[in-house]
Amino acid sequence: MTGMSNSQFPPVRKAVVPVAGLGTRFLPATKAMPKEMLPVVDKPALQYVVEEAVTAGLTDILMVTGRNKRPLEDHFDRVDGLEAALRAKGDQRKLDLIRESSELADIHFVRQGDPLGLGHAVLKGEHHVGEEPFAVLLGDDLIDERSPILPDMIDAYGRTGGSVIALMEVPQEAISLYGCAAVEATEVDGLVRVTDLVEKPDAADAPSNLAIIGRYVLSPEIFPLLRRTEPGRGNEIQLTDALKEQARGDGHGVYGVIFTGERYDTGDKLSYIQAVIQLATRRDDLGADLRAWLREFVAGLDD
């Protein structure tokens, strides 16, 4: 897909990043630290997400936070004492590294209050977003910078005016772990029209093997739909339910961009460890030594 410079629809400029989750799967590490601040090599997971948004041209970012999330705000703020100490030592490289996070984007924060689900978190962004389209990025999915998906999703919104979800093929036996999309083809390669959404279906009943992953570009039509969405699974307001209604309605509909690149899951302990290793092996400063060590380590493992 290529850019739509003459789109009749307004440009996508803003992103909403829900970060109010409790991170209970990573206790005790997340007792006093938000899970989004857990380091992936040497940067918090959340910084990768913000950098992805900025690279796609989204420099106005709203984080929907909860309790114990103050470290998030501190990370994206200036730290005068630390900067002064590094300046006095003449350590320009580290000074640039810590300034980078505070100069990435125009970042705002709003509290979610009651943790009533992803749909509720998105609804908390309505006042900031207004009548504009916007992206939603979930922090558990890290998208490899070599295979970005947001630009194609923004382009798809420009073509259609509908909400756009990121879809990824998964093994049929794994589809019950995800939201699943029923789709039909469009004339654009890699872009499908979504006709229905099913949350965590049994493998035998799933309409496809296309799973929803944590990237969305939403039209402002989503807000009135979310306001009237009844709490569903877990007594939470599910974004999937509002998108299902939008897909079936008479507005601009819902589309899916099929992602074929690299994605790292930081949502559970094993996947998080795998993500750290995968990303570290690709680093210029760490990769060669780590790959050599991994070969020795794996060769020495006792079956």
Side-chain angles (χ1 to χ4, degrees):
M1 287 186 283
T2 55
M4 290 286 293
S5 57
N6 297 320
S7 171
Q8 61 177 307
F9 304 108
V12 183
R13 304 181 306 119
K14 297 177 179 177
V16 173
V17 181
V19 287
L22 297 174
T24 53
R25 280 181 285 188
F26 284 89
L27 285 169
T30 50
K31 179 182 176 183
M33 180 174 71
K35 68 169 183 173
E36 297 84 5
M37 291 301 295
L38 291 173
V40 179
V41 190
D42 55 3
K43 282 192 296 196
L46 184 59
Q47 187 169 330
Y48 289 89
V49 174
V50 172
E51 288 172 355
E52 179 190 351
V54 170
T55 301
L58 312 176
T59 56
D60 186 336
I61 297 172
L62 178 72
M63 294 190 185
V64 183
T65 72
R67 293 188 181 278
N68 297 331
K69 299 293 181 170
R70 179 63 188 271
L72 300 178
E73 300 183 31
D74 290 343
H75 179 72
F76 291 100
D77 199 358
R78 298 290 292 268
V79 187
D80 291 338
L82 180 56
E83 290 185 20
L86 291 171
R87 200 178 298 112
K89 290 170 63 178
D91 196 334
Q92 189 63 39
R93 188 183 68 84
K94 288 180 182 167
L95 185 60
D96 291 342
L97 281 174
I98 66 161
R99 278 188 173 165
E100 184 183 341
S101 59
S102 58
E103 296 171 356
L104 273 171
D106 188 10
I107 298 178
H108 313 266
F109 299 88
V110 64
R111 284 283 186 100
Q112 185 177 3
D114 296 321
L116 296 177
L118 177 56
H120 181 254
V122 171
L123 202 48
K124 282 290 181 183
E126 182 176 17
H127 180 72
H128 183 79
V129 168
E131 291 295 315
E132 295 185 37
F134 61 105
V136 175
L137 295 86
L138 305 188
D140 285 350
D141 286 316
L142 301 188
I143 303 297
D144 194 300
E145 62 184 9
R146 301 169 304 172
S147 52
I149 189 172
L150 273 179
D152 281 348
M153 296 178 71
I154 291 168
D155 176 65
Y157 170 79
R159 291 173 182 271
T160 65
S163 289
V164 184
I165 61 178
L167 297 172
M168 182 181 72
E169 290 190 17
V170 300
Q172 196 70 30
E173 62 271 15
I175 194 67
S176 60
L177 301 173
Y178 297 89
C180 175
V183 303
E184 57 189 29
T186 70
E187 295 176 356
V188 180
D189 189 37
L191 179 68
V192 293
R193 184 179 180 98
V194 175
T195 58
D196 198 11
L197 294 165
V198 186
E199 189 64 39
K200 298 187 175 178
D202 289 337
D205 303 325
S208 74
N209 67 337
L210 292 172
I212 305 168
I213 59 173
R215 297 293 180 272
Y216 307 81
V217 173
L218 302 177
S219 72
E221 295 169 11
I222 200 69
F223 289 126
L225 296 174
L226 281 169
R227 280 198 298 275
R228 65 172 184 255
T229 297
E230 294 292 325
R233 185 174 49 87
N235 201 34
E236 296 181 341
I237 297 171
Q238 301 292 342
L239 178 59
T240 303
D241 290 343
L243 286 166
K244 179 190 297 193
E245 188 177 347
Q246 188 176 15
R248 294 171 170 178
D250 55 7
H252 289 103
V254 178
Y255 291 81
V257 172
I258 298 174
F259 179 62
T260 57
E262 290 255 25
R263 160 186 172 262
Y264 310 104
D265 180 1
T266 60
D268 65 63
K269 291 175 189 174
L270 179 59
S271 298
Y272 168 78
I273 293 165
Q274 291 168 335
V276 173
I277 293 169
Q278 285 176 282
L279 282 164
T281 59
R282 301 219 167 100
R283 289 269 295 255
D284 290 341
D285 58 339
L286 296 170
D289 289 344
L290 179 58
R291 289 193 298 271
W293 176 81
L294 278 170
R295 289 187 193 102
E296 288 181 23
F297 179 71
V298 172
L301 286 177
D302 184 356
D303 290 342

